Amino acid sequence: MVRAIVGACWGDEGKGKITDMLAENSDIVIRFQGGANAGHTIINDYGRFALHILPSGVFYKHTTCIIGNGVALNIPKLVEEMAELVAQGVPQPNILVSDRCQIVMPYHILFDAYEEARLAGKSFGSTKSGIAPFYSDKYAKIGFQVSELFDEDILKEKVERVCVLKNVLLEHLYHQPLLDPKELLDTLHEYRDMIAPYVCDVSAYLYEAIKAGKNILLEGQLGSLKDPDHGIYPMVTSSSTLAAYGAIGAGIPPYEIKEITTVVKAYSSAVGAGAFVSEIFGDEADELRRKGGDKGEFGATTGRPRRVGWFDAVASRYGVRIQGTTEVALTVLDVLGYLDEIPMCVGYEIDGEVVKDFPTTAKLEKAKPVLKVFPGWKCDIRGIKNYEDLPKECRDYVEAIEAELGVPVTMVSNGPRRDEIIYRK
Ligand code: GDP
């Protein structure tokens, strides 16, 4: 059975925790999009980890972790992250990397930084991991596939060809040092040797795994609103964050994805620029940011303070719908225990009219939140195992979210640890 675990909004919903938890009963965990530009924080018996490129199944000996063809593969980062885990006492994970996966090149990272500097104040808030230049090159058909590392003739010719193109931009647009094809080829030889032990025909592997009835998780990065088609374009990421893309980014039939578990946060947070209707500011925001997540709301990859706000029913309902959600995991509910009253954004006011459907970006920029206030439960709900044992105000809040989303909330996460979960079937 294949299940996708994806985010409803801007990312950082706690997909890592839910994936790590569900990986216990899974044979395979696959990353199918994105790169090392976002992080999942996972807290388990081995310690606290920020994973950037490795799938969140790496903590179990029985799981095979796969980097699918849809991922932006940063080879040194992958190798480094594996080494860090092992150094912290985690058994060497079983990793497979698709031979069709494309490689983040050193110049992608440089171009990302040069472009952000060129755009100055008008930048897209890139994490400078090379993701946008990487995906641009992939679709411009000048990307490098892992398989090409193993064909010296193809590799050499392509390196020379691509350097000509890149050097025009480096010289005339960015006024930066040029690429040396020889040096780049040497780097790619190093990459080839680093990745060789993990390379696999992943779609063939998964075809057999599905036939054998294995349990497979597709782990999404970021969330619906960062999807290049359905998100808050252009403040989006460069690969699809939707469960549907899991089929493409892993190489499996779309109809094999039977469950789509969308992770929804009990309040909102976002990194980077872009409209964020239910955002709060000042002391109110500082307090939520400090209390949020497991160590405050700061980016797992960048350490940047996250923007925070109230639960946004309009954005979340849209995010849940566009994912094709079959069930919702509601996370970080425990964090809200300090509040006397909990506002929820239940509509957007745009040009004097209240809308319930998530609009396109130009309209979104004009939206003002319509808030409904719920009574807080004013206590710590960590440690509670049964839904019925949650305070009534807390259950009312969960059920109000469920009613807004129109999809069952089957899991409620009341703490960052693997076992802090309330099942609600
Ligand atoms: P991801 O990218 O969706 O995996 O999310 P991140 O790992 O970037 O952010 C989620 C943060 O919330 C992490 O610091 C988690 O440890 C933390 N977290 C996840 N679930 C819960 C929860 O139920 N309660 C609390 N307090 N923290 C949680």
Side-chain angles (χ1 to χ4, degrees):
M1 202 276 280
V2 183
R3 176 201 296 267
I5 300 171
V6 287
C9 292
W10 297 265
D12 305 321
E13 293 93 354
K15 297 175 295 295
K17 177 211 156 140
I18 302 295
T19 308
D20 172 61
M21 200 182 84
L22 296 177
E24 186 168 7
N25 295 316
S26 303
D27 304 293
I28 298 170
V29 183
I30 311 171
R31 279 282 309 269
F32 61 89
Q33 45 85 222
N37 53 327
H40 300 296
T41 308
I42 295 174
I43 302 168
N44 55 31
D45 298 342
Y46 294 107
R48 182 180 192 275
F49 299 87
L51 299 181
H52 304 289
I53 182 90
L54 284 173
S56 300
V58 285
F59 300 100
Y60 298 98
K61 274 188 110 128
H62 66 272
T63 48
T64 298
C65 288
I66 296 185
I67 309 288
N69 55 276
V71 170
L73 173 65
N74 183 322
I75 293 178
K77 272 250 154 56
L78 176 76
V79 172
E80 190 185 297
E81 213 167 286
M82 268 195 280
E84 274 169 21
L85 285 196
V86 173
Q88 288 188 66
V90 179
Q92 173 69 38
N94 309 311
I95 304 285
L96 297 175
V97 174
S98 167
D99 53 3
R100 292 178 181 274
C101 200
Q102 295 207 6
I103 304 160
V104 176
M105 306 290 274
Y107 55 78
H108 288 142
I109 297 164
L110 293 175
F111 273 89
D112 215 343
Y114 297 157
E115 182 62 8
E116 284 282 298
R118 191 182 73 86
L119 292 173
K122 297 197 180 89
S123 80
F124 292 94
S126 163
T127 58
K128 303 189 186 69
S129 314
I131 301 302
F134 165 91
Y135 282 106
S136 307
D137 280 2
K138 175 172 175 176
Y139 294 108
K141 291 164 284 190
I142 51 169
F144 287 77
Q145 239 183 29
V146 164
S147 63
E148 291 171 320
L149 292 175
F150 300 89
D151 189 318
E152 191 59 23
D153 292 340
I154 290 185
L155 195 64
K156 192 157 182 293
E157 183 276 324
K158 194 162 175 180
V159 163
E160 279 162 10
R161 180 158 49 90
V162 170
C163 280
V164 171
L165 194 69
K166 297 293 171 197
N167 282 341
V168 173
L169 290 174
L170 286 171
E171 186 174 352
H172 299 289
L173 183 63
Y174 297 118
H175 312 293
Q176 293 289 345
L178 303 191
L179 299 177
D180 172 6
K182 162 100 187 40
E183 209 176 289
L184 187 58
L185 192 62
D186 288 345
T187 304
L188 292 181
H189 290 156
E190 285 170 24
Y191 284 9
R192 177 194 61 204
D193 298 342
M194 285 186 213
I195 207 69
Y198 312 106
V199 179
C200 170
D201 179 347
V202 163
S203 72
Y205 179 89
L206 292 175
Y207 176 76
E208 294 301 333
I210 290 171
K211 257 203 318 199
K214 301 280 188 199
N215 280 327
I216 299 173
L217 294 181
L218 294 167
E219 180 182 16
Q221 181 216 35
L222 298 170
S224 304
L225 304 185
K226 294 282 184 178
D227 183 74
D229 283 82
H230 296 282
I232 49 171
Y233 190 85
M235 300 300 180
V236 293
T237 193
S238 304
S239 66
S240 175
T241 55
L242 303 183
Y245 190 75
I248 297 162
I252 60 170
Y255 56 77
E256 291 294 352
I257 306 175
K258 305 291 185 207
E259 294 284 348
I260 299 174
T261 305
T262 302
V263 185
V264 174
K265 208 163 166 157
Y267 55 93
S268 301
S269 71
V271 262
F276 180 0
V277 178
S278 66
E279 184 169 14
I280 54 174
F281 304 91
D283 293 345
E284 198 181 31
D286 284 340
E287 188 164 22
L288 181 54
R289 189 176 300 112
R290 227 180 16 255
K291 295 200 155 88
D294 78 297
K295 275 200 168 180
E297 291 289 352
F298 299 93
T301 299
T302 56
R304 289 190 286 192
R306 290 176 183 152
R307 300 161 69 194
V308 293
W310 305 125
F311 178 81
D312 183 335
V314 178
S316 304
R317 180 169 52 247
Y318 172 74
V320 159
R321 166 165 72 77
I322 214 79
Q323 289 288 7
T325 307
T326 58
E327 62 171 357
V328 164
L330 185 67
T331 57
V332 294
L333 188 62
D334 53 300
V335 164
L336 301 180
Y338 73 96
L339 289 160
D340 294 321
E341 289 186 322
I342 308 177
M344 183 189 292
C345 174
V346 293
Y348 290 170
E349 194 193 313
I350 302 172
D351 295 332
E353 207 184 312
V354 174
V355 299
K356 296 269 182 180
D357 288 324
F358 193 72
T360 50
T361 310
K363 285 193 181 145
L364 186 66
E365 300 285 355
K366 296 198 256 171
K368 297 199 175 49
V370 177
L371 298 176
K372 179 172 172 187
V373 177
F374 289 78
W377 46 93
K378 294 295 286 173
C379 67
D380 186 3
I381 59 163
R382 286 187 72 175
I384 294 179
K385 296 281 173 202
N386 297 310
Y387 185 70
E388 291 67 35
D389 297 337
L390 288 172
K392 178 168 186 310
E393 294 79 4
C394 185
R395 280 181 281 130
D396 287 347
Y397 183 72
V398 172
E399 286 157 37
I401 288 178
E402 186 175 58
E404 289 285 351
L405 299 178
V407 176
V409 174
T410 58
M411 289 174 250
V412 175
S413 174
N414 58 338
R417 297 187 64 92
R418 200 182 255 177
D419 56 354
E420 291 179 297
I421 194 83
I422 300 170
Y423 289 98
R424 216 186 137 233
K425 281 261 182 214

